[in-house]
Structure formats: C-alpha cells, structure tokens
Amino acid sequence: MDLAYTEEEQEFRARLREWLAAVLPELPAKPGPDDWPGRRAYDTAWQRMLYDAGYAGLHWPVDAGGRGATPTQHLIFLEETERAGAPYVGANFVGLLHAGPTIAAEGTAEQRARWLPPVLRGDEIWCQGFSEPEAGSDLAALRTRAVRDGDHYVVSGSKIWTSHAEVADWCELLVRTDPAAPRHRGISWLAMEMDAPGVTVRPLRTLAGSTEFAEMFLDEVRMPVSHRVGAENDGWRVTMVTLSFERGTAFVGEVVACRRTLAALAAEARRTGRWDDPVLRRRLGRLNAEFRALWRLTQWNVSEAQRAGGGGVPGTGGSVFKLRYSHARQELYEAAAEVLGADGADLDREWVLDRLSSLSYTIAAGTSQIQRNIVAERILGLPKGR
C-alpha cells in the first residue's frame, strides 16, 4: 500500500467529514444496552443513512451492491467514522462483516441479489450459528445435522454464542450434511430464516450483564436447498472465507477506537497526576506503538487481500492481526484500570464494561491457541502438532 494519500482520497476524506458533521448531531439518543429492539432500530436506521448517502458497503464489489472503493478509501471511512463518534455496525455486524462478504465472494447471482441489498439497506439482520456446546474452537466437531429431503434440508441440533439471535432475521448456519465423511468434510453453510418453525432462541447473559449472545435450538427446521452457499459438503472451505473476514477485517474499526481510548486514558492520567509515574508512561507509550503497528498491519492485510483478487478475502495475515489485537485490547483495559484506580469500580462506567468485554476477545472469532496454530502451520510452515 502507498501510504501517501492521493488528491482523490483527500477529497473523499473531506466529503465524508462534512457529511458526518452534518448528520451526527441529528441522531437520536442511543438506546440502553438491554433494549435490543431499540438498538436494532437505531443501528438499522444508521445503516439506511449510510446507504442513502452512498457509504454502505463502500468496499464491496459493485456487482454485490457496493461502491467498489479502494482499500485506502475503506480505511479512511473507518478512521473518520470512528473519530467522529459515529455509530458502529452494531446489531448487524454479522451481516455486514461476516455473512454479507461471504455471500458476495461465494454466493450465486440469485443469492447475492436476494441477501446483499437488504443487508446494505439495514432491512435485515443476520446472526452467526457456528459454535456448539461441545464444539467451540474445535468447530469441525459440530454435530447439528441437516438431512436432505428433496428440495429441502431438515435441520436438528443446537448452537451457542449466537450473536444477536433475538433480533436477527437470518442466520449463517453450519451443519453436518454427511456424518460419515471426515470431520472437515461433510459440512455445509446454510442461510436460515430465524422465524422458521422449530427455531427456539434463549438469550445468554454475559459477565458485563448484556444479552447479545443466545443459545439456539433447532428441531427439524426445514430450509430450501437453494439457501446453501457453496456446494453440499464444501462448507468448511466456505467457512474459512467467513472466518477470514471475521479475523482479517471485522475488527479494523475497533483498532481506531482503541487508539482513541488510549488518547483519552493519557489525558485522564495527566489530569489526575498519574502521568508522573514513569512506569505508567512507558506502558501507555508501548500500547501506542502497539496499536499504530496494528493499524499498519490492517492496511497491509486489506491491501494484500485486494491485490490477490478473489473478492478481497483476507489471507492468513488476519490470524496474526487477530492474535495480537486480542491481547493488546486486554492490555489496554488493564492499563485503564491502573489509570482510573478505585473510580473504575463503578459498573456504570463505560471503561469497566469495555474491560469486561475485552476478556472475551482471546476466545471470540477463534481462540488465541487456534490462531497460533494457524500462524505456525500456514505462515511459518511448521509441522502440525500431534
């Protein structure tokens, strides 16, 4: 990537800043953390504003409903929206960051036409049905079964940690379509309607008290074969595309958010006098270097995916990013606890909720142990462990 911005990119940044400055003051107050119907309405309304202004799916291919923007324009968009305090993708992060890009890369023309425009407009919300009670990071051990019945699959099983299932319209669902095949084969990637008969959702409360995850129980749920993305039993390969997006680009906006948080921490340390502690200053300085390096890695990963073709699917560099980012985020909020001291014990403070949330990042989207295996085997060429 050429890190020097072109005149066109500078103009894009200026237009985006002007638009954000005009629309953000007009947004209503954000709903409370437990008001998921309200949060869905808030998040989808913002998505519709992006769509109407031409910023939805900025980096998606034109034939997938996007603008086909350059990687640099995409990163400028993420920088400017985060710095301006604009809403994040929120309840539709699975549709916008995981399922949508996967369908854009792997779906048929009919599937792209059916599912992508509603995602970009904010009309439909997606959730992710990958993990199972006995198959979390060992995703290939999943047991949810899909039996072919003519032009339909009949699906039974259960999922856990299903993000935003209680407000979702669709679910990207992994199922086993050939139980006799080896573990990584015999899996298929399906799109399931959440209001289909036989789908039961039970919200799960997290350590921070929120309910963005749920258990999901499937009792002979029928879905058309036409809702399968990719060939039957080729779901593991399609899933690797989904996980590449999840690990490679889904967190990039959060890097900018962490850099903003770090700046706020430094300002708070100066205000309280904690800045006089040289150990703390070194810690914050190292974190600053860490997140600057992660942003450069993000730029490289996005550029490399674009250069390689194939729909901009991130490569294994996404695992390097995800591994280091997960731990850097935890270190950031450990530093926040040190800066804030006893004041950070107030559970109404956003700092504390973010710190509790950060504990999950070394598990979400593939544990750090899984990422280390990927880096060792696919990047360093080390032999597989026994």
Side-chain angles (χ1 to χ4, degrees):
M1 169 178 281
D2 182 358
L3 299 181
Y5 295 113
T6 66
E7 182 177 347
E8 180 183 3
E9 289 162 351
Q10 296 285 26
E11 291 174 354
F12 172 78
R13 187 189 295 273
R15 290 195 304 271
L16 177 57
R17 282 185 178 178
E18 182 179 359
W19 181 77
L20 290 169
V23 301
L24 290 181
E26 304 300 322
L27 291 181
K30 187 175 182 178
D34 291 330
D35 180 9
W36 282 108
R39 290 181 67 175
R40 172 186 166 128
Y42 180 87
D43 294 338
T44 55
W46 171 247
Q47 183 62 30
R48 183 65 197 219
M49 292 175 68
L50 291 173
Y51 181 84
D52 290 340
Y55 291 118
L58 190 68
H59 60 297
W60 287 21
V62 174
D63 63 358
R67 287 181 55 179
T70 67
T72 303
Q73 287 176 320
H74 177 212
L75 294 172
I76 288 172
F77 172 81
L78 293 171
E79 283 184 314
E80 294 301 325
T81 51
E82 181 56 44
R83 286 172 177 167
Y88 189 50
V89 290
N92 202 18
F93 84 92
V94 173
L96 288 165
L97 305 181
H98 305 170
T102 301
I103 294 168
E106 296 289 335
T108 65
E110 293 77 11
Q111 290 171 338
R112 288 152 66 100
R114 166 60 188 88
W115 287 314
L116 297 183
V119 168
L120 292 179
R121 291 193 302 264
D123 293 342
E124 294 178 344
I125 298 290
W126 284 66
C127 62
Q128 185 181 77
F130 281 17
S131 296
E132 297 185 4
E134 296 183 16
S137 294
D138 186 14
L139 191 56
L142 66 89
R143 298 181 180 179
T144 296
R145 179 86 179 273
V147 178
R148 186 76 175 259
D149 181 19
D151 292 333
H152 286 77
Y153 289 110
V154 181
V155 181
S156 295
S158 65
K159 298 290 180 177
I160 198 167
W161 310 123
T162 309
S163 304
H164 302 313
E166 67 270 33
V167 294
D169 304 292
W170 291 87
C171 176
E172 53 173 1
L173 185 72
L174 290 188
V175 297
R176 189 163 295 284
T177 40
D178 184 357
R183 292 174 10 123
H184 293 84
R185 302 172 188 173
I187 293 173
S188 296
W189 196 108
L190 305 179
M192 180 183 73
E193 291 183 276
M194 290 298 289
D195 62 356
V199 178
T200 301
V201 173
R202 295 178 186 170
L204 294 169
R205 191 165 296 276
T206 69
L207 179 65
S210 61
T211 56
E212 67 263 33
F213 299 116
E215 294 178 287
M216 187 167 64
F217 301 92
L218 310 174
D219 183 13
E220 297 190 349
V221 180
R222 295 182 65 86
M223 62 191 75
V225 172
S226 60
H227 287 188
R228 186 190 68 233
V229 175
E232 186 171 279
N233 301 325
D234 191 33
W236 186 256
R237 184 191 61 79
V238 178
T239 300
M240 292 303 101
V241 172
T242 304
L243 294 180
S244 292
F245 283 114
E246 185 175 20
R247 295 163 184 169
T249 56
F251 290 120
V252 294
E254 297 188 31
V255 174
V256 182
C258 285
R259 294 176 67 181
R260 188 175 64 177
T261 297
L262 184 59
L265 273 181
E268 178 73 4
R270 290 186 179 97
R271 186 187 69 82
T272 61
R274 295 300 306 280
W275 190 253
D276 296 334
D277 181 349
V279 175
L280 178 62
R281 286 203 309 274
R282 283 196 297 271
R283 186 176 192 181
L284 297 181
R286 185 182 59 77
L287 282 167
N288 181 53
E290 185 93 48
F291 283 109
R292 286 172 65 89
L294 281 167
W295 183 246
R296 292 305 188 208
L297 178 59
T298 294
Q299 292 175 313
W300 186 88
N301 282 339
V302 171
S303 297
E304 186 69 9
Q306 190 73 18
R307 184 192 64 78
V313 179
T316 51
S319 288
V320 178
F321 168 84
K322 198 275 174 183
L323 175 62
R324 190 54 227 158
Y325 170 72
S326 299
H327 291 272
R329 184 181 175 94
Q330 290 181 353
E331 292 168 12
L332 172 64
Y333 285 101
E334 288 173 3
E338 183 178 350
V339 170
L340 296 171
D343 290 340
D346 182 356
L347 285 178
D348 289 333
R349 291 186 66 123
E350 185 177 353
W351 298 103
V352 176
L353 296 178
D354 284 342
R355 187 187 185 197
L356 293 175
S357 174
S358 75
L359 299 177
S360 69
Y361 275 68
T362 49
I363 301 173
T367 67
S368 291
Q369 290 85 352
I370 292 292
Q371 306 312 315
R372 290 189 183 98
N373 285 344
I374 292 172
V375 171
E377 296 169 10
R378 301 183 193 174
I379 298 179
L380 301 179
L382 298 178
K384 290 187 177 183
R386 295 186 180 276

